[in-house]
């Protein structure tokens, strides 16, 4: 796999920004006659500038997938997704609305009918951002486990299965498995992945 992605490129230069640079010693009013005239004159040149640089300096979006990348695609994607989720948690500047059903009882809003984006006052909800932190933590934990090849080994006890005199079948039968712990472990991973899919479009900074 090879991926080359450039940062967002925006080549528009506003005529008003040029006017502000020209009159750097004072604040200009966009309704001033000379500003309106300058905007009318400069706008075609600014549009041409943008089109030119969109051609000669376009965003880079190159992705090459090799055949072996999809042998275990989940294993290929997990180490890419994990550091992105960790960085998002550190650099995020806001939080989306999170369903009460997706967080523990102590983080729920207890608002009848759930939250309403039009009426809910985020500033008066101390748990609003904490709910999103919880969701991100669950996603991060899930992908951390998937980045460990033997993340399930902690639930298997091989201490009684190391007798070289036993045949393979007998050794396997002696392995103790914490099935309850293993199920809880995998259920939490599945939940983290479901949350990742549910809130995928909310993974913005």
């Amino acid at each position: 796999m090879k991926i080359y992605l450039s940062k967002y490129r925006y080549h528009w230069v506003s005529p008003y920004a040029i006017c502000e640079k020209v009159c750097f010693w004072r604040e200009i009013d966009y309704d001033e006659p000379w500003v309106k005239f300058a905007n009318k004159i400069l706008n075609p040149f600014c549009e041409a500038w943008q089109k030119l640089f969109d051609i000669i300096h376009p965003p880079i979006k190159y992705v090459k997938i090799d055949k072996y990348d999809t042998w275990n695609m989940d294993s290929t994607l997990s180490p890419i997704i994990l550091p992105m989720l960790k960085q998002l948690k550190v650099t995020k500047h806001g939080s989306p609305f999170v369903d009460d059903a997706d967080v523990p009882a102590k983080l729920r809003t207890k608002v009848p009918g759930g939250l309403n984006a039009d009426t809910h006052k985020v500033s008066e909800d101390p748990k609003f951002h904490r709910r999103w932190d919880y969701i991100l933590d669950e996603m991060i934990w899930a992908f951390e486990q998937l980045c460990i090849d033997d993340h399930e080994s902690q639930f298997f006890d091989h201490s009684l299965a190391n007798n070289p005199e036993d045949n393979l079948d007998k050794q396997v039968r002696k392995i103790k498995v914490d099935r309850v712990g293993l199920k809880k472990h995998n259920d939490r991973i599945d939940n983290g992945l479901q949350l990742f899919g549910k809130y995928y479009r909310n993974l913005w900074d």
Side-chain angles (χ1 to χ4, degrees):
M1 177 186 293
K2 291 181 177 64
I3 301 175
Y4 299 98
L5 299 176
S6 65
K7 66 178 182 180
Y8 181 72
R9 293 177 177 175
Y10 185 63
H11 300 116
W12 171 250
V13 178
S14 170
Y16 294 113
I18 296 174
C19 293
E20 290 174 346
K21 293 293 184 181
V22 171
C23 292
F24 62 89
W25 65 88
R26 72 177 180 89
E27 185 175 347
I28 66 171
D29 186 341
Y30 292 169
D31 290 328
E32 292 181 52
W34 78 270
V35 175
K36 290 184 176 181
F37 178 75
N39 178 67
K40 184 177 180 180
I41 297 299
L42 292 172
N43 196 67
F45 292 98
C46 292
E47 290 180 347
W49 172 278
Q50 182 183 25
K51 290 179 180 179
L52 174 63
F53 275 84
D54 283 347
I55 294 173
I56 66 176
H57 193 242
I60 299 174
K61 294 182 179 180
Y62 174 79
V63 179
K64 179 182 180 296
I65 304 298
D66 296 300
K67 289 184 178 180
Y68 54 78
D69 290 323
T70 52
W71 291 347
N72 289 297
M73 201 167 91
D74 55 338
S75 298
T76 301
L77 292 176
S78 294
I80 299 173
I81 295 171
L82 178 58
M84 296 186 74
L85 288 174
K86 289 183 175 180
Q87 178 172 299
L88 175 63
K89 187 181 178 185
V90 174
T91 62
K92 63 183 175 64
H93 293 89
S95 303
F97 280 82
V98 171
D99 290 340
D100 274 347
D102 296 327
V103 297
K106 63 181 181 180
L107 293 177
R108 293 174 184 169
T109 60
K110 299 179 182 178
V111 175
L115 297 181
N116 186 312
D118 297 326
T119 60
H120 188 71
K121 295 181 179 180
V122 175
S123 60
E124 297 178 2
D125 183 356
K127 299 178 182 178
F128 186 83
H129 297 296
R130 289 170 57 194
R131 283 191 288 275
W132 181 231
D133 283 338
Y134 172 84
I135 296 296
L136 287 176
D137 285 339
E138 289 302 295
M139 294 182 195
I140 290 171
W141 184 87
F143 282 102
E144 283 178 337
Q145 305 312 304
L146 295 177
C147 286
I148 302 172
D149 291 336
D150 60 344
H151 63 90
E152 294 183 343
S153 62
Q154 58 188 301
F155 302 102
F156 293 83
D157 181 0
H158 295 261
S159 60
L160 299 178
N162 295 323
N163 189 342
E165 297 181 0
D166 293 337
N167 59 36
L168 180 61
D169 183 63
K170 192 171 182 180
Q171 289 180 355
V172 171
R173 289 201 304 270
K174 286 185 177 181
I175 296 174
K176 294 182 179 180
V177 183
D178 179 4
R179 300 190 183 281
V180 175
L182 179 62
K183 185 178 186 306
K184 287 182 178 179
H185 179 78
N186 282 314
D187 284 348
R188 187 179 175 188
I189 291 177
D190 290 341
N191 181 63
L193 296 177
Q194 288 174 0
L195 294 173
F196 180 77
K198 181 175 181 177
Y199 293 99
Y200 185 82
R201 298 180 67 181
N202 297 119
L203 298 176
W204 40 261
D205 185 350

